[in-house]
Amino acid sequence: MHCLVVDDETRLTDLVVRYLTESGHTAEGRYDGPSGLTAARDPRLDAVLLDVMLPGMDGVEVCRTLRGEGIDVPVILLTARGAISERVAGLDAGADDYVVKPFAMEELLARLRAISRRRPEHSGRLQVGDLVLDPEQRRA
């Protein structure tokens, strides 16, 4: 699984990236909303771990922007703010899950596994404009 971790707490971001890497995943970190949004547009991503309070653009707006662009990568919001209204706002913006800081790394991994089970396996189909290549069906 290839994950993007976006959090302005650089030590936490680096720690999560290192933990995911040591757990057999690939991961990269960003430290603000705009660079996180740009990186989250990468179609190779399997999940985005996104802090709510980010400089430049908050995580809820990053998530809402991704969904508005049709990008359906799973998003787990991370935040120290755990009020019900804030969780509801994040989920309504398109997040798949919400984790309140501090969290256990094992739980974060379990939540990543859970959201990955909900996504269909990549079919191998490639599409550019109205051209679709389906290697499984051997058709274009």
Side-chain angles (χ1 to χ4, degrees):
M1 179 177 282
H2 182 60
C3 301
L4 172 66
V5 182
V6 185
D7 196 310
D8 61 326
E9 296 178 44
T10 56
R11 288 183 60 202
L12 177 64
T13 301
D14 296 344
L15 178 67
V16 172
V17 166
R18 187 172 68 238
Y19 183 80
L20 291 172
T21 302
E22 289 172 357
S23 298
H25 304 285
T26 58
E28 58 187 279
R30 298 292 185 278
Y31 308 102
D32 62 67
S35 67
L37 175 60
T38 299
R41 290 177 172 133
D42 184 338
R44 296 172 296 171
L45 283 175
D46 296 305
V48 177
L49 306 172
L50 183 62
D51 186 25
V52 171
M53 295 176 20
L54 292 168
M57 178 183 222
D58 72 52
V60 173
E61 189 58 33
V62 170
C63 185
R64 186 176 291 116
T65 301
L66 290 171
R67 298 305 186 236
E69 293 175 2
I71 298 170
D72 68 346
V73 63
V75 173
I76 298 176
L77 291 177
L78 307 173
T79 187
R81 299 161 53 181
I84 297 294
S85 61
E86 293 167 345
R87 285 186 260 173
V88 169
L91 294 168
D92 284 346
D96 297 277
D97 202 352
Y98 200 101
V99 176
V100 178
K101 296 176 189 176
F103 52 85
M105 292 293 190
E106 295 84 7
E107 179 184 3
L108 189 61
L109 274 179
R111 289 176 182 268
L112 284 168
R113 287 190 302 270
I115 62 172
S116 72
R117 287 191 299 265
R118 292 184 218 141
R119 289 180 61 100
E121 290 295 318
H122 187 265
S123 67
R125 289 179 59 188
L126 301 173
Q127 182 171 353
V128 177
D130 36 338
L131 174 63
V132 179
L133 299 176
D134 188 338
E136 194 173 294
Q137 299 287 325
R138 297 181 184 215
R139 293 185 351 189

